Amino acid sequence: MTKKPEIILVTRNSASLHLDVGDYIHLIEDDNESWKDEAMRYASFVDRWMAEKDKSLVQLIPYVVCLTEEGQILSYRRKGGGEERLEGKHSIGIGGHVNTTDTTVVEQIIPDDNKQIQYEISWDVITRGAIREIEEELHIDKGYAENNLIEMGVMYTPSDEGLDNETPVPAVGEVHIAIIYALKVHDKITTQASEGLIRPRFINESTTSKKNYEKWSQLILSNIDEFKRIYKNKSAK
């Protein structure tokens, strides 16, 4: 049986969407509505295979950092998940693509009786994608995730490793933008065995080597004091 193509959320990869040149993590204390408006204005759902090859598009990826009351961070090694360029690397991010199941559908009939499906696309779709990924990858109640998920900022790494010089596939960071979230969890939290999160453990980032981590995790770990400060302030509101 032919596998149906995966349909994912993207937006136009314009210069005005990027908050800096090169690799960056932009943590925000208040909502950056202008950035969100820019991203949503040109957002659409497309086949994943096309988005992976087209540098004029960027995939909007919810990326959730789970941390305990004491500030330890959930870490794991990647296996599977459909992203060969990150296979085997360590990560502190729970997340993945936003797809059409994270939104509502408006169905229209056009004159020749063919159905044209339109999807409601708003910023909430990304948050719903983050919550779905949490449910799929961790043993966490949906209601808890909805009430405790905190948006932290955005991250882009166009110089990420992964470029294949023989077959010019874009580097991982060129075609993905992370929407960063934080979620407080209990240190006894467990992962879903079927999701390929190998050897989950909680780390103290001050004593952890970053070299085996994928680029997004490295960037967050390098800015962890600021991350925790903003998280603490937002949690108190």
Side-chain angles (χ1 to χ4, degrees), residues 100 104-109 114-119:
T100 54
T104 56
V105 176
V106 178
E107 204 173 67
Q108 295 182 339
I109 307 297
N114 290 323
K115 292 182 179 180
Q116 180 181 1
I117 299 177
Q118 294 185 339
Y119 299 98

Side-chain angles (χ1 to χ4, degrees), residues 62-67 74 92-97 102 126-150 179-185 189-192 195 197:
Y63 191 84
V64 184
V65 178
C66 297
L67 64 169
L74 180 65
I92 62 168
I94 300 294
H97 294 90
D102 300 315
I126 299 175
T127 303
R128 290 198 292 270
I131 293 168
R132 173 182 51 77
E133 290 285 349
I134 291 167
E135 281 192 285
E136 290 176 355
E137 299 187 359
L138 302 175
H139 289 285
I140 288 182
D141 177 73
K142 179 179 180 181
Y144 176 86
E146 290 174 339
N147 292 329
N148 291 277
L149 196 64
I150 295 177
I179 313 302
I180 311 168
Y181 294 88
L183 180 68
K184 184 172 70 174
V185 298
I189 192 70
T190 56
T191 60
Q192 302 280 12
E195 290 301 311
L197 278 63

Side-chain angles (χ1 to χ4, degrees), residues 41-94:
R41 186 176 301 119
Y42 301 104
S44 62
F45 284 101
V46 302
D47 288 347
R48 180 176 176 177
W49 67 265
M50 181 175 71
E52 292 287 358
K53 297 179 179 180
D54 188 350
K55 289 195 287 187
S56 71
L57 303 174
V58 282
Q59 302 159 46
L60 297 167
I61 308 293
Y63 191 84
V64 184
V65 178
C66 297
L67 64 169
T68 67
E69 185 74 39
E70 294 75 25
Q72 289 190 307
I73 296 172
L74 180 65
S75 170
Y76 66 94
R77 185 165 60 84
R78 292 179 177 269
K79 182 174 177 57
E83 184 51 85
E84 293 182 1
R85 293 168 291 187
L86 300 178
E87 183 78 16
K89 293 189 176 182
H90 292 264
S91 179
I92 62 168
I94 300 294

